[in-house]
Amino acid sequence: MSAARARGPPLLAVACALVLPGAPAVAGEGYEFMPKGGKALLLEVLGPDPSAADVRALTRVRRTEAGWRKVIGQRGKGLSGTQLATLAAYLAVHMPLPDAAGKGGDLASSLPPDGRELAWKQCQSCHSLFASHLTQGRDEQGWRNMFLSPFHRELKMSPREREEFARYSALNMPMRIEDVPEDLRF
């Protein structure tokens, strides 16, 4: 093995990671300006050290969005109306989780990606996140219809991920231009 390889990743790989548009999302940094998605909100509601009973109560049950709003409304007192709706939509799409999810204390990695994560990872591979997502105002069906175009049909997203993206986007988009960092506009 060469000395360069023994020290770490090749310089080109590091340079690419620093300049690729999706790189901040992988690190979990740089997209805080976007409204939180259901996964982030669920972790917030559960708190830093949730009991096993709390986790089971929220991840092992299937409910409608209205049912989730009622349950979460009792627990998530600090959530805005849009955040409550975003979390309820996320839970309605993704719950219940498989029994093995969250075992070993790592609930966050067991949860499916939320709409913010999906937008950040998927949209920027072809076009600007600003023009394609952040400034678009559509209802759920309008976002679902977007996946019917030939180039969006090819996205590697499951039906649940597409539904999550549509619900998150309908609730949280469009954003005000001034709320998007200047370096991400257009």
Side-chain angles (χ1 to χ4, degrees):
M1 179 181 303
S2 74
R5 280 192 188 256
R7 284 191 300 252
L11 184 58
L12 179 59
V14 172
C16 287
L18 292 174
V19 298
L20 288 173
V26 173
E29 300 170 3
Y31 63 107
E32 296 86 7
F33 68 93
M34 288 175 67
K36 291 178 183 175
K39 178 179 177 178
L41 293 167
L42 176 59
L43 294 171
E44 207 172 276
V45 166
L46 285 171
D49 193 23
S51 72
D54 279 349
V55 172
R56 275 193 309 278
L58 293 176
T59 62
R60 301 293 189 260
V61 179
R62 181 175 309 282
R63 291 185 173 95
T64 64
E65 279 186 56
W68 280 116
R69 274 194 299 275
K70 193 175 200 178
V71 169
I72 297 300
Q74 298 162 0
R75 300 175 66 115
K77 299 289 185 203
L79 298 180
S80 71
T82 301
Q83 289 174 324
L84 178 62
T86 299
L87 177 52
Y90 176 82
L91 294 170
V93 169
H94 295 294
M95 296 306 134
L97 290 179
D99 287 337
K103 299 246 169 137
D106 191 15
L107 178 63
S109 65
S110 299
L111 294 171
D114 61 32
R116 178 170 77 171
E117 292 173 304
L118 292 167
W120 195 254
K121 289 175 187 173
Q122 297 291 338
C123 297
Q124 296 183 100
S125 62
C126 296
H127 44 67
S128 157
L129 181 66
F130 180 76
S132 67
H133 185 250
L134 302 178
T135 59
Q136 299 295 311
R138 302 175 186 179
D139 63 11
E140 286 178 25
Q141 191 56 49
W143 285 106
R144 286 183 199 110
N145 289 347
M146 178 206 59
F147 290 113
L148 298 176
S149 63
F151 43 90
H152 285 135
R153 269 186 271 175
E154 300 302 318
L155 287 173
K156 303 245 184 287
M157 291 173 71
S158 71
R160 278 188 172 185
E161 288 174 327
R162 290 170 188 247
E163 185 63 20
E164 167 62 21
F165 178 90
R167 292 182 190 204
Y168 168 83
S169 301
L171 289 164
N172 292 284
M173 298 302 135
M175 289 185 65
R176 297 177 330 151
I177 291 173
E178 56 271 14
D179 291 339
V180 178
E182 283 189 46
D183 59 332
L184 290 177
R185 295 180 195 165
F186 303 101

